[in-house]
Amino acid sequence: MAEPASVAAESLAGSRARAARTVLGQVVLPGEELLLPEQEDAEGPGGAVERPLSLNAGARSRVRVVCGPGLRRCGDRLLVTKCGRLRHKEPGSGSGGGVYWVDSQQKRYVPVKGDHVIGIVTAKSGDIFKVDVGGSEPASLSYLSFEGATKRNRPNVQVGDLIYGQFVVANKDMEPEMVCIDSCGRANGMGVIGQDGLLFKVTLGLIRKLLAPDCEIIQEVGKLYPLEIVFGMNGRIWVKAKTIQQTLILANILEACEHMTSDQRKQIFSRLAES
């Protein structure tokens, strides 16, 4: 029994130090350590070696690496914290580094600064609204965080209203804070969502898929019925069509498209267009 146990331990230890460039698009497991090629001018061409990803780079390093969801800093290493596919986005400058994250199918949302989300107002507490965003605790929203809001001109926000806003404070040690204005003080589409329409929840992976610039699903849905739609990075979607029947059809399609192939979607859209 000792020999198989030692072999399993060695294989597990070896699997925790894999080169990130060789596992892009593949499944990674919690506890794995990612390795990236050394990219410093001192090595010269062809001198790249694999090493644990250093996030506390010195003054000589010109590579900036951003950790996304599913990855965690541990000293000068980068560890995987959840199961999923490893993704990478190159920086605009093309100088190496970029953004690494783990794409996984999960429904529990963890607030991230800058994310646009759909929340539900649950309470009023003085000048602060408490908003349910699907996280571990409600977010706070000041009445001054709306376009044109002043002490005399307060926004008409009631308990139960849907709010589309973004996070300006989101970390594990502080209560999340939302606003409904951008850096220029403009609403830019944020604020209270209309009373009509339907709100439903999907996985976070589907939200990222629908918000991709080359997503064909939204283009096909837009050709089917005239609609209004709002996506929240917390897995919530609000949709409104001309009739209740059309609204329910669109909601069912968006919920099911995560598990449908392109051919299956085209068959459904063709049948709906003929009916």
Side-chain angles (χ1 to χ4, degrees):
M1 296 295 293
E3 185 176 354
S6 61
V7 172
E10 291 176 0
S11 61
L12 180 60
S15 64
R16 290 185 178 178
R18 297 197 291 174
R21 62 185 178 184
T22 63
V23 295
L24 288 178
Q26 299 181 16
V27 175
V28 293
L29 301 176
E32 289 191 29
E33 180 181 344
L34 298 184
L35 303 176
L36 292 183
E38 183 74 42
Q39 297 184 13
E40 294 186 2
D41 295 339
E43 295 183 359
V49 295
E50 296 291 344
R51 65 173 178 84
L53 171 61
S54 177
L55 299 173
N56 300 324
R60 294 176 56 193
S61 178
R62 299 182 180 181
V63 179
R64 181 186 179 189
V65 176
V66 179
C67 301
L71 301 175
R72 185 183 66 183
R73 300 187 182 195
C74 185
D76 60 348
R77 299 180 301 164
L78 188 64
L79 299 179
V80 179
T81 59
K82 64 182 180 182
C83 179
R85 294 183 181 273
L86 181 65
R87 304 295 187 186
H88 177 236
K89 181 179 180 182
E90 292 285 350
S93 59
S95 58
V99 182
Y100 286 86
W101 75 95
V102 177
D103 189 5
S104 63
Q105 300 296 327
Q106 69 177 56
K107 288 190 175 182
R108 182 179 179 273
Y109 176 70
V110 178
V112 178
K113 182 179 179 180
D115 273 4
H116 288 74
V117 297
I118 298 176
I120 304 173
V121 179
T122 56
K124 284 184 178 181
S125 179
D127 298 336
I128 301 296
F129 300 104
K130 295 297 182 180
V131 183
D132 173 26
V133 294
S136 58
E137 61 179 332
S140 61
L141 174 65
S142 172
Y143 75 94
L144 293 175
S145 298
F146 292 83
E147 182 179 2
T150 62
K151 291 185 177 180
R152 291 187 177 183
N153 183 27
R154 293 183 174 230
N156 183 20
V157 180
Q158 305 297 328
V159 174
D161 285 350
L162 300 180
I163 299 291
Y164 180 63
Q166 66 175 338
F167 286 112
V168 291
V169 175
N171 59 60
K172 61 180 181 179
D173 300 318
M174 298 179 63
E175 180 185 42
E177 182 178 342
M178 290 178 59
V179 296
C180 292
I181 51 177
D182 56 16
S183 58
C184 299
R186 300 292 184 181
N188 196 18
M190 293 180 284
V192 180
I193 303 177
Q195 297 294 330
D196 298 330
L198 177 66
L199 179 71
F200 58 98
K201 187 173 177 61
V202 298
T203 62
L204 304 184
L206 178 57
I207 287 291
R208 289 191 291 268
K209 180 179 180 180
L210 294 173
L211 290 176
D214 57 347
C215 180
E216 298 178 354
I217 301 174
I218 299 303
Q219 299 176 6
E220 296 171 351
V221 168
K223 296 177 183 178
L224 190 60
Y225 301 125
L227 76 156
E228 299 177 39
I229 191 166
V230 180
F231 296 103
M233 291 300 295
N234 54 342
R236 291 174 178 171
I237 300 177
W238 178 87
V239 63
K240 177 185 176 183
K242 185 175 293 186
T243 65
I244 297 178
Q245 181 182 8
Q246 292 179 358
T247 301
L248 293 174
I249 291 174
L250 293 173
N252 290 331
I253 290 176
L254 291 174
E255 285 183 325
C257 67
E258 183 177 11
H259 308 290
M260 289 191 300
T261 63
S262 179
D263 294 336
Q264 291 174 337
R265 287 200 314 269
K266 290 179 180 179
Q267 291 179 2
I268 292 177
F269 286 132
S270 62
R271 292 177 184 176
L272 291 173
E274 293 174 356
S275 60

